[in-house]
Amino acid sequence: MTLRVPRSCLDQIRAAGQDAYPLEACGLLIGRDGEVMQVVPADNISATPDKAFEVDPQTLIHWQKKLRGTGRCILGSYHSHPDHPAAPSGRDRVRITEDGQLWVILSVTPDGAGEINFFQAQEGDFAPLKVSVF
Ligand SMILES: [Zn+2]
């Protein structure tokens, strides 16, 4: 599967990662099957936001309700890795809860936003996802 992602959503994720640096930024990806349509920033409520993320559950509940019946849904989440590569960490791996969820990881350094990679949770692991930016 190739996931369609608007360039504006990538720009938003990069900006969020830069703004949060040196802490991890996080948020939700909203869309429909095969297409990201919207990025929603969320507070990172992790007790150690310099090396982990936890999407504010209030944001999650708000959007689950708001999207009901719209044909759109929460596809997954994005988060940034300050001073680390855009690859899933061991901590991310144990946080996979649902197959099919999208995981977007952005690397950020003092120079700014770097690589951004897309993964899909499959059988408790991360499968790299091809992306078509439009
Ligand atoms: Zn991570």
Side-chain angles (χ1 to χ4, degrees), residues 77-98:
S77 64
Y78 71 84
H79 70 284
S80 60
H81 280 178
D83 299 316
H84 282 86
S89 65
R91 194 180 273 107
D92 292 331
R93 217 164 284 276
V94 298
R95 300 268 319 278
I96 293 180
T97 51
E98 209 181 313

Side-chain angles (χ1 to χ4, degrees), residues 3-5 9-14 24-30 36 38-39 53 55 75-81 85-88 92 101-107 114-121 126-127 129 131:
L3 182 74
R4 286 168 48 80
V5 184
C9 285
L10 294 183
D11 290 343
Q12 260 184 281
I13 293 170
R14 289 194 186 98
E24 291 197 13
C26 65
L28 302 174
L29 307 167
I30 288 164
V36 174
Q38 195 178 347
V39 165
F53 82 99
V55 170
L75 299 172
S77 64
Y78 71 84
H79 70 284
S80 60
H81 280 178
D92 292 331
Q101 288 278 299
L102 301 183
W103 285 69
V104 177
I105 303 178
L106 165 77
S107 175
E115 208 180 354
I116 183 164
N117 286 320
F118 285 70
F119 303 89
Q120 188 165 35
F126 293 97
L129 207 54
V131 171

Side-chain angles (χ1 to χ4, degrees), residues 25-47:
C26 65
L28 302 174
L29 307 167
I30 288 164
R32 58 187 174 210
D33 202 27
E35 183 174 350
V36 174
M37 300 166 82
Q38 195 178 347
V39 165
V40 175
D43 287 337
N44 180 357
I45 62 157
S46 169

